[in-house]
C-alpha cells in the first residue's frame, strides 16, 4: 500500500455545546475518490474545515504525503495543494466572478488573462460561466460552478468537494463525474462529501462513514447497497417514502400568461407562463437555476408585484398586485431557497423567527407579542420535525443547513396553508432530513394542500411530485403526470426542447424562409 | 460672466480639497468594513500637530508628517479598541472625536491668534494655469492640493486595479468568507484604519497650514462630519466623493461670494447653505435604497474576530 497523500489520526474537536469530532482517523490515497459519508452533525464539515485549515483541532495529527504538518490557515492549505469547494459558498457577492477567483489565486493580478483562463477551464469541464458577472446575480447552481472552477484553477493535489451535485442536472452530474474521474486519473485525490448514496456507489473508490463525531467504518461503496450504507450512516433502518394516490381538488394557484421582466440585468424574464396547481397535488418545476426560477417565485409569493392582477390567482382571487402579507392571508406559505437571510433572520432566535411569518396564529394580541404561544409554536416545530438545536432560543445561524430547513418547513406547514411554495426543499440536507422533509410535504398534500416545488434536483422532483413541468429560458413547459414522463425527457426539456420552449422557438425561427 | 465664475470655481476647489482628503481616508476604512466616526477628532489632532510643527520652526514637510503621525496614532488607538478589544465602533469613534476636540483645544490654547510662520502657497503650473476657468481652479493649487488629486487617483487605482484593493473591498463585504480564503482580516483592517487616520491628519494640516494659516479652536468646524456624510452620499466611490466635495465647496464658495458682493441675506442663512445643500442631496440619493444597499460594505461597523 502506498503512502496516503493525506492521513488524519485521532482528530478531536469540541465546541462549547457539542463534541464535533471524537478521535477520528481518515486516510486518502493519491488518485482516489474518497467518500466521506454521514448525517448532518456527524462532524464531516468540521473535519473538512480542519483539513483546509479553517478550524484548528484540539488534538490529533495530520500527515501530508507522509510528513506531519500543521495547517494554520486556508492559505497554508492551498500552498500544500489542498483546495475546497464549500457547501456554503465562500464567495463575495458584490464583486465579479473573475475577481472572486483572483482573490484565491497567486500570481500576477491580471483579470483579463484570468478571465480567459476561466473561460477555458469552464469550457473544458462543462461548467459554463461568464467571468464578468457579479456573483449576487448568479443562482445557487452558477455559484457552485464558480467555486469548482476556482479550485480547478489551482491545480490541487487534493480536492475537497462538499455536496457538489445537489444543484446539477443529471447530464451535468455525469459531466462533473467525468471531470472528477479525469482528475483522479491524473493523480489528484478527491474527498467527496455527500449524502447521495447512489452517487457515492457510482463514483467513489472508498468511503469513510461518520456518525455523531465518530468514524464508524471504511468500506468499498461499490460492494455495498444503498440500504447498507444508509444503515451504517444513521445507525438504524432507513425510512422509506410512503406514496399515495393523488386526487386533485380545486385550483389553488393559477398563473395566466404571466410575464415578468428580468430580475436585474442578468436575470431571466418570464414569458407567458401558464400553470395550475390544484389542492391536494404536488407540482414540481424542474430546471437549471438561472432560467427564471427567481422571477417565478417572486411573482407567486408577492415579493414582486405584477401589473396584471389576474395573471396570478390565489384560491380563485386575482392576487398579482397583493403584497406578501395579503397573499399569506389567502393561505400561501413559502419556503425560500436562501435559508439564512430570506427564510430566517440569522442572528435571531428560532422563536423570533417563528413569529416573523406565523405571528397571525395567536402570537400577537393588541400589537404585543405573546411569548407563550410563540414558544409553544416554536417547540411544536422543533419536536414535530426533529430539529436538533439548542432549544427555541438558539440563533437561526447556529443550526446546520438540514436542521434549519426542517425548522423552516415546519414553521410554514404549521400555519394551515392552502398553498405551499417550496424552493430547493432539500438542497444540502442530509438523507434522513431529506426523507423527513419529503414525507412531510407528501403528507401535507394528502391533507388537501396544494404544493409547488421548484427544484434543481430532478431526482427529488420525480420522487416527490405528482405532476412536473420544466422551466427553461423564462418559459414553462406543459405539465406532465410524473408517471408519463422520464428523466431523459425532463432532461431534454431542461435544455429548452419542449413545445413552445426556447430551443424549439429558435428552430421555428430558423425554418422561416428568408 | 467668466470673471465672476472663475474665482468662485477656484475657491470651490480649494474648499473641497481637505474634504476629499478626509473622505477618501474614511472611504478606505469603511470599504474594509470599519466605521470610524472619529474623523473630526483625528483632523483636529492633525491640524494641531501640523500647526505646532510650523509654529516651532519646523518646515512644511515635517508639518505634513507630524499631522499624518498624529492621525495614525489616534486611529490606531481606535483600531486597538474596536478591532482587538471588539468594542462598539460607533461609541469608540464618537469618543475619539470628543477626545480630539478636547486635546486640540487644550494644547492649542497657547497658539490662539498666532499666524503660521510658514504655510502652503499656491503653485500655479506654467501655461496650464492660464487655461480659462480650469486653470485658476485646478492648476494653481498649493502642494497639498496637488497631493490630494494624486491621492484621489491613487486610491481609486488601489481599490479597483490591485489585488490588495480587491482584498480590502472583499473583507468589507464578508470577513468570514475572506478568512476562509486565507485573507488576513485584522491586518488589512488595521492598515485601512491607519490610512484613514493619516488622511484625516493631513486634512487637518490643510486647514491649519494651507487654508486658515492661523490657529483657532475647532478650526475644522464640523467638516469631518461632512466628509463622513460624503462617503455615504458618494456610495463609497472615490470619484463621487470628489464630486460631492466639490459640490459642498461650490455652495460654500457661492455663499461667501454673495456676501462679498453685498447681497442682503442673513450670514447665518448663507453659512448654513452648504450643509443644507449636502443634506438635500444626501436625502435625494438615499431615497434610492437600492443604490445604497448595493454599494454599502455589508460588514460595515460589525465586529469580527480572527479566531474561530
Amino acid at each position: 500500500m502506498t503512502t496516503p497523500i493525506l492521513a488524519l489520526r485521532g482528530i478531536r474537536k469540541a465546541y462549547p455545546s457539542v463534541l464535533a469530532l471524537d478521535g477520528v482517523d481518515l486516510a486518502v490515497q493519491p488518485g482516489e475518490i474518497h467518500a466521506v459519508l454521514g448525517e448532518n452533525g456527524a462532524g464531516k464539515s468540521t473535519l473538512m474545515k480542519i483539513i483546509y485549515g479553517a478550524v484548528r483541532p484540539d488534538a490529533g495529527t495530520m500527515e501530508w504525503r507522509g510528513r506531519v504538518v500543521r495547517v494554520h490557515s486556508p492559505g497554508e492549505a492551498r500552498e500544500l495543494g489542498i483546495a475546497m469547494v464549500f457547501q456554503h459558498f465562500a464567495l463575495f457577492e458584490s464583486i465579479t466572478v473573475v475577481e472572486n477567483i483572483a482573490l484565491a489565486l497567486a500570481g500576477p493580478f491580471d483579470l483579463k488573462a484570468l478571465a480567459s483562463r476561466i473561460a477555458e477551464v469552464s469550457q473544458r469541464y462543462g461548467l459554463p460561466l461568464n467571468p464578468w458577472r457579479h456573483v449576487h446575480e448568479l443562482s445557487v447552481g452558477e455559484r457552485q460552478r464558480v467555486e469548482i472552477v476556482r479550485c480547478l484553477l489551482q491545480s490541487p493535489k487534493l480536492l475537497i468537494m462538499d455536496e457538489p451535485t445537489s444543484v446539477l442536472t443529471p447530464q451535468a452530474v455525469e459531466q462533473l463525474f467525468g471531470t472528477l474521474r479525469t482528475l483522479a486519473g491524473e493523480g489528484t485525490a478527491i474527498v467527496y462529501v455527500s449524502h447521495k448514496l447512489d452517487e457515492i456507489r457510482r463514483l467513489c473508490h472508498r468511503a469513510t462513514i461518520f456518525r455523531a463525531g465518530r468514524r464508524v467504518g471504511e468500506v468499498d461503496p461499490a460492494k455495498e447497497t444503498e440500504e447498507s450504507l444508509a444503515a451504517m450512516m444513521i445507525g438504524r433502518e432507513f425510512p422509506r417514502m410512503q406514496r399515495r394516490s393523488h386526487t386533485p381538488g380545486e385550483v389553488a394557484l393559477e398563473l395566466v400568461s404571466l410575464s415578468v421582466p428580468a430580475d436585474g440585468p442578468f436575470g431571466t424574464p418570464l414569458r407567458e407562463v401558464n400553470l395550475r396547481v390544484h389542492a391536494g397535488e404536488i407540482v414540481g418545476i424542474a430546471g437549471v437555476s438561472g432560467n427564471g426560477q427567481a422571477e417565478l417565485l417572486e411573482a407567486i409569493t408577492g415579493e414582486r408585484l405584477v401589473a396584471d392582477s389576474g395573471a396570478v390567482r390565489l384560491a380563485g382571487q386575482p392576487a398579482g398586485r397583493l403584497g406578501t402579507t395579503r397573499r399569506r392571508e389567502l393561505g400561501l406559505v413559502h419556503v425560500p431557497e436562501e435559508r439564512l437571510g430570506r427564510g430566517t433572520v440569522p442572528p435571531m432566535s428560532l422563536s423570533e423567527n417563528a413569529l416573523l411569518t406565523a405571528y397571525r396564529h395567536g402570537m400577537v394580541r393588541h400589537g404585543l407579542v405573546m411569548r407563550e404561544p410563540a414558544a409553544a409554536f416554536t417547540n411544536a416545530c422543533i419536536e414535530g420535525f426533529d430539529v436538533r438545536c439548542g432549544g427555541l432560543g438558539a440563533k437561526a445561524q447556529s443550526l446546520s443547513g438540514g436542521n434549519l430547513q426542517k425548522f423552516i418547513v415546519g414553521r410554514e406547514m404549521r400555519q394551515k396553508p392552502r398553498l405551499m411554495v417550496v424552493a430547493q426543499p432539500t438542497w444540502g440536507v442530509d438523507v434522513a432530513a431529506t426523507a423527513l422533509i419529503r414525507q412531510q410535504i407528501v403528507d401535507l398534500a394528502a391533507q388537501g394542500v396544494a404544493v409547488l416545488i421548484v427544484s434543481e434536483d430532478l431526482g427529488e422532483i420525480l420522487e416527490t411530485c405528482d405532476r412536473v413541468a420544466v422551466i427553461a429560458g423564462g418559459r414553462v413547459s406543459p405539465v406532465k403526470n410524473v408517471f408519463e414522463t422520464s428523466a431523459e425527457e425532463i432532461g431534454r426539456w431542461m435544455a429548452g426542447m419542449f413545445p413552445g420552449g426556447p430551443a424549439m422557438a429558435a428552430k421555428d425561427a430558423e425554418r422561416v424562409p428568408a | 460672466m467668466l470673471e465672476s465664475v472663475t474665482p468662485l470655481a477656484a475657491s470651490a476647489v480649494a474648499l473641497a480639497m481637505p474634504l476629499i482628503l478626509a473622505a477618501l481616508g474614511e472611504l478606505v476604512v469603511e470599504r474594509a468594513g470599519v466605521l470610524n466616526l472619529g474623523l473630526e477628532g483625528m483632523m483636529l489632532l492633525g491640524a494641531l500637530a501640523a500647526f505646532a510643527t510650523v509654529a516651532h520652526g519646523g518646515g512644511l514637510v515635517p508639518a505634513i508628517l507630524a499631522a499624518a503621525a498624529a492621525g495614525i496614532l489616534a486611529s490606531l488607538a481606535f483600531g486597538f479598541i474596536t478591532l482587538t478589544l471588539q468594542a462598539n465602533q460607533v461609541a469608540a469613534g464618537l469618543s475619539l472625536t470628543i477626545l480630539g476636540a478636547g486635546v486640540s483645544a487644550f494644547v492649542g490654547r497657547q497658539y490662539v491668534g498666532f499666524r503660521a510662520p510658514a504655510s502652503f502657497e499656491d503653485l500655479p503650473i506654467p501655461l496650464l494655469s492660464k487655461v480659462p476657468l480650469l486653470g485658476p481652479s485646478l492648476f494653481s493649487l498649493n502642494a497639498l492640493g496637488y497631493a490630494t488629486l494624486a491621492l484621489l487617483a491613487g486610491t481609486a487605482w488601489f481599490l479597483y486595479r490591485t489585488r490588495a484593493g480587491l482584498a480590502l473591498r472583499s473583507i468589507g463585504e464578508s470577513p468570514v468568507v475572506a478568512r476562509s480564503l486565507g485573507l488576513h482580516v485584522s491586518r488589512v483592517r488595521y492598515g485601512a484604519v491607519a490610512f484613514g487616520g493619516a488622511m484625516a491628519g493631513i486634512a487637518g494640516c490643510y486647514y491649519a497650514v494651507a487654508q486658515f494659516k492661523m490657529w483657532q479652536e475647532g478650526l475644522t468646524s464640523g467638516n469631518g462630519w461632512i466628509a463622513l456624510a460624503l462617503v455615504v452620499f458618494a456610495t463609497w466611490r472615490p470619484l463621487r466623493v470628489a464630486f460631492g466635495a466639490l459640490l459642498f465647496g461650490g455652495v460654500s464658495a457661492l455663499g461667501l461670494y454673495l456676501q462679498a458682493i453685498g447681497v442682503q441675506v442673513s450670514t447665518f442663512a448663507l453659512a448654513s447653505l452648504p450643509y443644507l445643500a449636502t443634506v438635500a442631496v444626501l436625502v435625494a440619493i438615499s431615497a434610492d435604497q437600492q443604490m445604497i444597499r448595493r454599494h454599502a460594505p455589508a460588514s460595515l461597523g460589525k465586529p469580527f474576530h480572527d479566531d474561530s
Side-chain angles (χ1 to χ4, degrees), chain B residues 142-161:
Chain B
N142 59 51
L144 275 182
Y146 293 122
T148 304
L149 295 181
L151 282 164
L152 173 64
T155 305
W157 176 80
F158 169 79
L159 281 177
Y160 295 107
R161 289 280 177 275

Side-chain angles (χ1 to χ4, degrees), chain A residues 128 133 137-142 145 167 169 260-263 266-271 273 285-297 337 424 454-456 470-477 490-498 501-503:
Chain A
R133 284 177 63 171
E137 290 153 344
L138 303 183
S139 65
V140 174
E142 292 167 309
R145 287 180 216 151
V167 291
T169 64
V260 173
D263 181 13
F266 299 105
T268 308
L270 289 185
R271 294 163 215 263
V273 172
I285 306 275
V288 179
S289 66
N291 271 293
Q293 286 94 334
E295 287 80 1
L296 181 67
L297 287 165
E337 178 176 341
Q424 312 290 2
V454 176
S455 174
E456 289 188 285
V470 171
I471 186 166
R475 295 171 197 273
V476 171
S477 73
I490 299 293
R492 271 202 314 281
W493 282 13
M494 282 172 158
M497 287 180 278
F498 55 80

Side-chain angles (χ1 to χ4, degrees), chain B residues 97-108:
Chain B
T97 285
I98 295 165
L99 179 78
V103 168
S104 69
F106 179 69
V107 179

